[in-house]
Amino acid sequence: MFRDGGVRGILVPRPFTHGIPETRGFPLQLWERLNRQVLKHYGTKALLHGDPQGCKPLRRAIADYVNLERGARATADRILVLTSSQQAMSLCATMLLDAGDRIFIEDPAYHGARRAFDAAGLESVPVRVDRQGIVVEQIIGDPRGAKAVFLTPSHQFPTGAKLALDRRLALIEWAARNQTWLIEDDYDSEFHYSGKPTACVQGLDPHDRTIYIGTFTKSLFPSLRIGYLILPPQLVEPMTVARTVLDGHTAQITQLTLAWFMEGGHFGAHIRAMRAIYAERLKALARLVEKHLSPFVEARVPIGGLQMPCVLTCNISERAAIEAARRVGIELFGLSALHASGEAETGFLMGFAAYTPEEIEVAVKALANALGSIPR
Ligand SMILES: Cc1ncc(COP(=O)(O)O)c(C=O)c1O
């Protein structure tokens, strides 16, 4: 765990740091006003300990949102408010599985999840991902099975694949038959730019084998530190008790401010506004990569999310590309380390959400120069 360096967010993002939303236009004055109103309304009561499961108004607001927008089957009673998806993954790893247990993970996989599972001593079993998402036949055909499956079905990290509906249904039936948990990380599903979003696995699962992880890191801002779980009824009490041992509860005033932000319709409005901005930025990035970087990479334009994967198509190594970019102030996130085997496609993720089209243009041109100057 120490060797891997944990899971750190970038403190000062620069193009093309991935997974970062645009925060420069965030309605801070509105947030500040709601924060003041919360303090006025609750007074010093807001300074006391809060419910370890999360404050009720926020749980209600989250349930309304995920039911409407993600096709989930949530009630406030089944939601556990946490500080992040990362905390949710660690909690799942330690509460649902024992050290040495097997967990199926996507290959390539989100590094934060893999590190949480490694830290809990789990055996992560990689399962291939194709254009339709995780290859479910590989899971069903594995005679050793596993206690859980971790997946990012609405927007696979990092490939961007959306898990096909028939695979979702097959996985749900298999999980019910085998009493396996499905851990669904729905980290950036608010942002889809083409086609219709598919209902989340949790909403399709009549057997209550799915644990849904949500976060406000992408939809609002990373420093908020609010994520949540939608739990099957029998897990609510044990998971809530487990979280009291970790950190008691999430900061109460922040939770209440977020609840009022959501109840007032500001969350929905913010998502709609950011979705339009990000769609435009993705279009700009895809066009600029095609124009300036096509001798080096092939872009895999995603249907949603905050980053675009690019696969190297020239004889430059991934490491050389990343180092050359870093020398000119550009951040790329390598793809090969996310694969279980070292023989994967090489390339990188380019975050686009936090940068204006003008900033993207300057950085793409600088990257083209940097890649062009690598001796081959
Ligand atoms: C797949 C995935 N899940 C979760 C997260 C992180 O969310 P949180 O900040 O809530 O831990 C990220 C952030 O990059 C991510 O890419």
Side-chain angles (χ1 to χ4, degrees):
M1 184 167 73
F2 296 129
R3 241 195 338 268
D4 287 341
V7 193
R8 285 167 187 265
I10 300 272
L11 297 188
V12 185
R14 52 187 190 172
F16 294 101
T17 306
H18 76 284
I20 307 283
E22 177 60 90
T23 50
R24 291 171 291 185
F26 188 80
L28 268 185
Q29 285 178 346
L30 169 64
W31 188 266
E32 192 202 346
R33 191 171 76 236
L34 293 173
N35 196 59
R36 254 188 288 120
Q37 286 172 358
V38 158
L39 288 177
K40 202 159 171 217
H41 181 84
Y42 289 93
T44 52
K45 273 197 258 158
L47 309 182
L48 299 172
H49 273 299
D51 181 346
Q53 197 183 335
C55 76
K56 191 84 182 251
L58 179 58
R59 286 190 279 123
R60 262 199 310 258
I62 291 173
D64 289 347
Y65 171 75
V66 288
N67 291 344
L68 188 69
E69 296 294 332
R70 301 296 305 122
R73 294 181 314 122
T75 55
D77 296 348
R78 292 173 59 166
I79 288 180
L80 172 58
V81 177
L82 297 167
T83 53
S84 58
S85 319
Q86 196 58 41
Q87 189 181 39
M89 291 179 234
S90 294
L91 206 56
C92 288
T94 49
M95 283 300 290
L96 304 177
L97 297 95
D98 294 313
D101 279 348
R102 285 161 54 99
I103 180 167
F104 288 124
I105 62 165
E106 296 161 327
D107 183 17
Y110 173 52
H111 49 288
R114 175 134 25 149
R115 293 200 178 135
F117 304 151
D118 286 351
L122 309 185
E123 183 191 342
S124 289
V125 182
V127 180
R128 202 162 61 78
V129 168
D130 64 19
R131 279 165 198 265
Q132 313 258 312
I134 195 165
V135 177
V136 172
E137 298 81 62
Q138 198 182 320
I139 294 175
I140 296 174
D142 186 330
R144 290 180 65 198
K147 275 241 182 97
V149 183
F150 173 80
L151 63 163
T152 48
S154 64
H155 181 228
Q156 203 274 333
F157 187 95
T159 64
K162 180 163 83 166
L163 185 61
L165 183 61
D166 58 336
R167 291 191 185 183
R168 289 173 193 236
L169 298 175
L171 205 50
I172 287 167
E173 290 312 313
W174 171 84
R177 269 199 313 279
N178 292 279
Q179 294 294 289
T180 303
W181 297 112
L182 301 177
I183 303 171
E184 175 178 29
D185 180 8
D186 209 28
Y187 63 109
D188 67 3
S189 59
E190 294 83 5
F191 303 113
H192 52 88
Y193 313 119
S194 56
K196 275 199 142 200
T198 310
C200 64
V201 174
Q202 194 272 352
L204 295 168
D205 177 2
H207 311 294
D208 279 335
R209 300 304 305 175
T210 307
I211 294 148
Y212 177 102
I213 302 177
T215 180
F216 291 95
T217 288
K218 322 280 176 187
S219 55
L220 289 178
F221 51 94
S223 76
L224 185 64
R225 293 293 84 199
I226 297 191
Y228 55 93
L229 284 166
I230 307 174
L231 292 163
Q234 70 275 27
L235 290 184
V236 172
E237 183 60 25
M239 289 293 232
T240 304
V241 169
R243 101 64 64 88
T244 65
V245 180
L246 289 180
D247 62 352
H249 61 84
T250 306
Q252 177 84 334
I253 297 168
T254 315
Q255 285 189 71
L256 291 166
T257 306
L258 174 58
W260 285 32
F261 189 80
M262 294 181 85
E263 282 167 7
H266 308 297
F267 181 65
H270 184 70
I271 296 295
R272 283 191 295 281
M274 299 321 280
R275 195 182 289 145
I277 290 172
Y278 297 165
E280 190 204 333
R281 293 179 178 187
L282 171 59
K283 217 155 114 194
L285 177 65
R287 183 177 53 74
L288 288 160
V289 167
E290 173 69 29
K291 186 165 168 197
H292 299 286
L293 295 176
S294 53
F296 311 105
V297 297
E298 182 192 311
R300 304 264 160 94
V301 183
I303 52 162
L306 310 185
Q307 61 259 338
M308 180 172 87
C310 286
V311 176
L312 280 160
T313 51
C314 59
N315 59 348
I316 294 177
S317 73
E318 185 183 290
R319 178 196 283 245
I322 291 170
E323 280 172 3
R326 192 161 292 150
R327 281 195 293 273
V328 295
I330 290 170
E331 205 58 50
L332 301 174
F333 188 84
L335 290 176
S336 60
L338 302 174
H339 288 262
S341 74
E343 295 149 23
E345 283 176 320
T346 57
F348 42 78
L349 282 178
M350 297 178 83
F352 57 82
Y355 320 105
T356 64
E358 294 72 33
E359 289 166 335
I360 290 175
E361 178 159 10
V362 170
V364 167
K365 286 181 178 164
L367 180 58
N369 280 335
L371 296 181
S373 64
I374 297 174
R376 285 191 261 170

